[in-house]
Amino acid sequence: MTDMAETADKAVIIVHSGDMDKLYSALIVGNGALAMGMDVSMYFTFWGLQRLKKGGLEKGPLSKMHMLGLGKWMIKKRMKAANVASLEKLMNDYKELGGKILACEMTMEIMGVKADELRTEWIDEYGAVGTYVNEARDAKITLFI
Amino acid sequence: MAEIEIDTRGETCPVPLVECRKALRKAAPGDEVTVLGTHPASKKEIPMACKALGLEVIDVEGKDDEWKIKIRR
């Protein structure tokens, strides 16, 4: 299928945090921008990159009121009641709509993350700061989450 | 020309918008895509997305919490 917009605007998001709620923010903005016709790249680094490990997507704590997991359990219950999509669905939608995932190589080195520990089927490119800057230089939206 | 209907009733942000975009990508030019939904913000935002995509919204009907939007791809 061809895209409708002739020249798409671009959004680039740095996903630095691995907190569950911040990952929701990043993926919701990413999906929303794709749905509204923009190109989107998400650059996963530090604790954000940890969430790209196999089985790691839903592992993050809440950024506030985590309370040893009690707060997260409560929020997840309320999200389920409100029928909020899982991070896994949002990630699959993001990929289906053509969203790009960039993985930070320096994080992999300093945190000892091997490529085969990651969901490599999601990752389009491995790179460092130059990759982010190159993506972001002509972007209309850039966020650090 | 095909008529495609997608049902996002009961779904919340960002699913109606995302499912609408997924359906529009799969549709062929000239096809009519109808989106059913109950999420109030999406009733405003789906036409916003269509405008950004350069697509025509043929019809919006229903209440904010139970609506039907018809789009031409």
Side-chain angles (χ1 to χ4, degrees):
Chain A
M1 286 326 119
T2 52
D3 256 314
M4 285 149 237
E6 290 282 318
T7 49
D9 292 330
K10 189 159 49 166
V12 182
I13 303 171
I14 296 183
V15 186
H16 179 274
S17 170
D19 295 336
M20 184 194 81
D21 44 300
K22 294 192 180 179
L23 216 53
Y24 263 103
S25 296
L27 276 167
I28 289 171
V29 173
N31 271 307
L34 288 169
M36 299 186 88
M38 297 180 88
D39 287 337
V40 184
S41 297
M42 293 175 76
Y43 185 86
F44 281 73
T45 186
F46 282 86
W47 290 272
L49 187 83
Q50 305 281 339
R51 300 280 85 80
L52 292 186
K53 284 183 176 170
K54 288 169 183 152
L57 201 57
E58 311 275 350
K59 287 258 170 73
L62 276 189
S63 60
K64 300 225 188 309
M65 300 199 312
H66 185 65
M67 302 184 293
L68 302 167
L70 186 70
K72 182 179 168 181
W73 172 80
M74 202 176 74
I75 291 287
K76 281 209 130 182
K77 223 173 94 172
R78 297 186 67 151
M79 287 173 87
K80 203 172 172 196
N83 204 20
V84 176
S86 67
L87 289 170
E88 186 82 21
K89 175 179 162 44
L90 291 176
M91 183 60 103
N92 288 331
D93 286 344
Y94 177 78
K95 296 304 299 181
E96 189 181 334
L97 290 179
K100 264 169 73 180
I101 301 275
L102 314 171
C104 175
E105 281 178 339
M106 187 192 79
T107 303
M108 293 170 69
E109 202 172 305
I110 62 175
M111 292 192 165
V113 180
K114 306 267 185 305
D116 63 7
E117 292 176 70
L118 297 172
R119 297 283 293 264
T120 49
E121 72 276 20
W122 287 339
I123 299 170
D124 298 278
E125 209 177 316
Y126 298 83
V129 64
T131 307
Y132 161 72
V133 173
N134 227 20
E135 287 287 323
R137 70 191 322 153
D138 58 350
K140 289 264 173 73
I141 297 175
T142 85
L143 295 171
F144 183 92
I145 298 181
Chain B
M1 192 206 81
E3 286 185 24
I4 302 148
E5 186 175 281
I6 56 164
D7 189 352
T8 72
R9 285 176 295 181
E11 302 285 355
T12 189
C13 172
V15 175
L17 200 54
V18 166
E19 294 302 326
C20 173
R21 177 71 162 128
K22 278 160 72 173
L24 288 170
R25 273 166 63 100
K26 287 184 192 131
D31 285 354
E32 277 184 14
V33 175
T34 302
V35 190
L36 304 175
T38 54
H39 180 243
S42 299
K43 190 187 176 206
K44 287 181 296 196
E45 291 180 356
I46 287 173
M48 277 161 69
C50 291
K51 195 177 171 205
L53 293 165
L55 299 178
E56 183 196 353
V57 176
I58 305 166
D59 192 36
V60 181
E61 59 177 82
K63 305 186 296 283
D64 281 356
D65 57 357
E66 180 82 57
W67 44 260
K68 191 196 248 189
I69 299 173
K70 200 180 274 190
I71 305 152
R72 178 155 5 252
R73 161 77 160 89

